[in-house]
Amino acid sequence: MNADLSGIWPWVACIGLALVTLITRSFFMIPEREVPMPEWFKRGLKYAPLAALAAVIAPEVLMSNGALIISLADARLPAALCATVYYFCKRGILGTIVVGMAVYLPLHIGLGW
């Protein structure tokens, strides 16, 4: 009997990925005492979420089709610039998103940038 096992491989992959994720995410719970780290490393860890967010957003805002955007004729740059100015003036996240989208949508949809 030669059973068709091709349908089982996606399940094996999902279970394997879940196990790898579970193991790597639970390492911080294994030690009974705090892991010694240099003070400079602890200070640097505070900036890790911000660095990860910037690494995700920056290529989307600054690149198009794998190349840097060099013209303001792309709606993303003026929107990001206006949102940044708003944020530094008012320090509000919701307003920053609203201003960015209020600039982006008319330029992108209305003018086709």
Side-chain angles (χ1 to χ4, degrees):
M1 281 191 285
N2 189 2
D4 183 23
L5 296 176
S6 63
I8 199 168
W9 291 115
W11 289 100
V12 170
C14 286
I15 291 169
L17 288 169
L19 287 174
V20 167
T21 301
L22 178 70
I23 290 168
T24 58
R25 300 285 174 131
S26 64
F27 274 134
F28 73 94
M29 294 187 290
I30 294 172
E32 292 182 12
R33 59 181 170 71
E34 186 175 339
V35 177
M37 289 184 268
E39 191 59 37
W40 61 267
F41 188 73
K42 288 180 185 179
R43 282 193 316 268
L45 283 177
K46 291 192 295 187
Y47 298 103
L50 179 61
L53 184 62
V56 170
I57 292 174
E60 184 62 33
V61 172
L62 301 174
M63 297 181 78
S64 178
N65 297 324
L68 282 175
I69 299 170
I70 57 173
S71 168
L72 284 177
D74 190 305
R76 291 176 284 187
L77 293 180
L81 181 65
C82 292
T84 302
V85 168
Y86 177 87
Y87 178 77
F88 282 115
C89 290
K90 300 287 185 175
R91 299 286 182 187
I93 297 295
L94 181 60
T96 302
I97 294 169
V98 169
V99 167
M101 293 308 292
V103 172
Y104 176 77
L105 288 175
L107 292 176
H108 184 70
I109 295 173
L111 298 177
W113 282 15

